[in-house]
Amino acid sequence: MSLTQVLRRRPEPPRQEPGTAHLRRPRLTTGVRVHPPVADGEPWVMQRGEHQYFRIGADLARLARALDGTGDAESLAARLGPPWSAAAVRQAVTTLDRAHLLAPAVLAPGRHRRIRRWKYVPPLTFQLAVVRSGDAAARRINSLRLAPPRVLGWLVAALAAIGTAVLLARHAQVAHVLGSPVSMGTLGTVLAGVFVTTVAHEFGHACLLAHYGGRPGRMGVMLFYFSPAMFCDVSDSWRLNHLRRAKVSLAGIAVQAGVSGAAASAAGLVGRGTAGDTLLLFALVNAAAAVVNLVPFVKLDGYIALMSYLNRPNLRDAALGSLREGFVALLAKKPYRVKGPGWLPLFGLGCLLTPMVLVVRGLGQWLDALMSLGTFGAMLSSCVAGMLLLVAVKTVRGLLKSFRGNRPRPLRLALLAVLLAALALGSTQLRLSSSQVASYEVTPDGAVHLYVPSGAELQPVRPGDRVELQRAGMMLRRTLGTGTVGTAAARETSVPLGGLIPVTADNLRIRGKRYPLRLDHPLPPGRGSARLHARSMPLPRWAYERLLLPFAAPFH
């Protein structure tokens, strides 16, 4: 129940329950603030802690501001006047207490602890706040002399348009950059630039929020699904209207698009070479991040912007719940009416499928490379498998909970079982390619070696095994030739990291084995990526080898 609904309910007589003594002379608890509207026509807002906000009406705001622990229901009603009566005050106070907005009679030990810098956000996000005071952050941001948002918006649009034109005009160089290994210097430069852009992304949210009169919350660094990132709590944007909330959500994406366009434009001026390729790769990474951030089916900026524009809090949870309820009603043969717009279940389907597609695409691109890193890569793969298992368990638990009181009809349950069996059988016809990542080296004297990292062998290397030699980049790969393993006699050695992952890092090495290799056609001296045991396999077999085996590898 929202706080504003309390005024519409029929007053109930007060009940003397244990632990309700603090309701006789109520006061707001520590950390609760009442914010006036930031503009005409906007609601009053009650804030609890760093990121919990309750929209309330003006009358309830007057009552909340008067709760200082000195007045009872009768005196508060007399002081505030209509529409408040003693019974209405008691009912409103009870509602505020249920929302944990009132101070108890005796504070429990540790209840109002200092806000910690570290915070865990399920399922796999760890945050470290660098700035904890929203007021201080707002003051610092407002002290900056920035151009008006409209001017910055036009600048971003112009940079993005010019950058897009440059990328299209230099498509050949783009393909070269994405299909070639990069040096550690280039990789470090791009990663440092991405980190700085991520900081600017979060400041984009904070600056626009402060411009509209809001206060940015906690700001800092985090591990987002094992990936380093930045965060900025802009929960205070719920004090704004829906259009401004959406603009605050899109501000970070606009920063990324502008930086990407500026880097692509600079790459067009520099031309080919190390500097030009580095700028181009940096532009592409930021462009990809901006596009992914726009996807509305994942809890990223695009989703928050859509949720804000539609003015529907918890849109994703509501959509998934609507989809689940429709599925349960279908099995139980019960009438079902969507609680909200008719497109809500379809949006829920998108929220269900999109993360799966992103994960599968990411696994297909990087899982083989992770496995090539031996035990360390196997442990990373096991983390991915564990994350997928956690999501599957949570989905099943939610579905089973929905079946309570909605027992499915036996016939429809049987049809569902037949459908699942058909899908399982069909998955065996869906074949995916699989291979083991290795690297090769052609020496100046013509000798050819195959390097296989230790701990990454899915199958033993045997004489006569076919090997595909490739030039692999960040996103693209090109086949250079083929060869055959000459003998099973392996020599323990150190394996260059270059070739296993798309970097030219000859000085970084891991333990592995070296095999002699016979080429079908000569290749110039150099190093590159190699694929052996390449084969097509059914989806269940691929999932077993790529997810279950890596999950078990660290425990062998």
Side-chain angles (χ1 to χ4, degrees), residues 321-354:
S322 179
L323 179 66
R324 183 171 58 248
E325 290 171 7
F327 178 70
V328 170
L330 178 65
L331 290 182
K333 200 178 180 180
K334 289 186 176 181
Y336 171 67
R337 188 173 183 178
V338 179
K339 299 176 183 178
W343 49 262
L344 204 58
L346 292 178
F347 186 81
L349 185 62
C351 294
L352 180 66
L353 297 180
T354 301

Side-chain angles (χ1 to χ4, degrees), residues 259-270:
V259 170
S260 175
S265 302
L269 296 176
V270 172

